[in-house]
Amino acid sequence: QVRLVESGGGSVQAGGSLRLSCTTFGFIYSRYKDYCMGWFRQAPGKEREGVAFIDSRGRTDYADSVKGRFTISKDSAKNSLSLLMNSLKPEDTAMYYCAAEPYCAISRRRYYEYTYEGQGTQVTVSS
């Protein structure tokens, strides 16, 4: 059974940094020729939006709102995913979720295109 667990959220002032981690249980990267991973966020009253994406080849993609500030990475040895967030803004405040999709050859930007998702970790940025 696959389970994803996010950690690293918290409260920070604008301009600060946070590093989110996603530990996977049962989602072994080496089992899949291709797979996709992503970070999504949802603020109160807003739709869930894609933030950053990475595939099995290490290709990355970002939402325009976070380009140049956020960096997604994966550790194949630990089957984990990370999101380094710099220069945080109040509008980055949201619940952040990691997601995983096996047998995925093309990056997917919508949360409903992923089979597995974690419970989320809260990020709050104050001005």
Side-chain angles (χ1 to χ4, degrees):
Q1 182 156 349
V2 174
R3 191 163 60 97
L4 309 179
V5 179
E6 302 91 341
S7 61
S11 297
V12 65
Q13 287 192 329
S17 299
L18 282 174
R19 187 180 190 92
L20 305 184
S21 296
C22 175
T23 302
T24 69
F25 299 91
F27 192 88
I28 309 301
Y29 293 175
S30 60
R31 289 182 180 173
Y32 310 108
K33 178 178 182 291
D34 299 300
Y35 59 85
C36 298
M37 308 285 292
W39 285 98
F40 294 82
R41 67 185 181 187
Q42 188 167 19
K46 294 188 177 181
E47 292 188 356
R48 190 167 300 190
E49 63 173 347
V51 174
F53 316 92
I54 189 167
D55 65 13
S56 52
R57 292 169 175 77
R59 295 174 295 191
T60 59
D61 194 13
Y62 298 91
D64 289 342
S65 59
V66 306
K67 278 183 181 176
R69 299 189 298 122
F70 289 12
T71 303
I72 188 172
S73 61
K74 62 182 178 72
D75 187 327
S76 298
K78 298 181 179 179
N79 297 299
S80 64
L81 184 71
S82 295
L83 184 68
L84 176 61
M85 306 185 294
N86 293 324
S87 303
L88 282 163
K89 304 176 181 179
E91 50 263 44
D92 294 319
T93 295
M95 185 72 79
Y96 283 72
Y97 304 85
C98 67
E101 177 63 23
Y103 312 113
C104 170
I106 300 175
S107 180
R108 302 183 180 186
R109 300 177 66 91
R110 298 172 180 80
Y111 70 91
Y112 51 79
E113 296 178 304
Y114 288 77
T115 299
Y116 305 108
E117 187 176 76
Q119 293 300 305
T121 185
Q122 178 68 37
V123 171
T124 302
V125 184
S126 59
S127 57

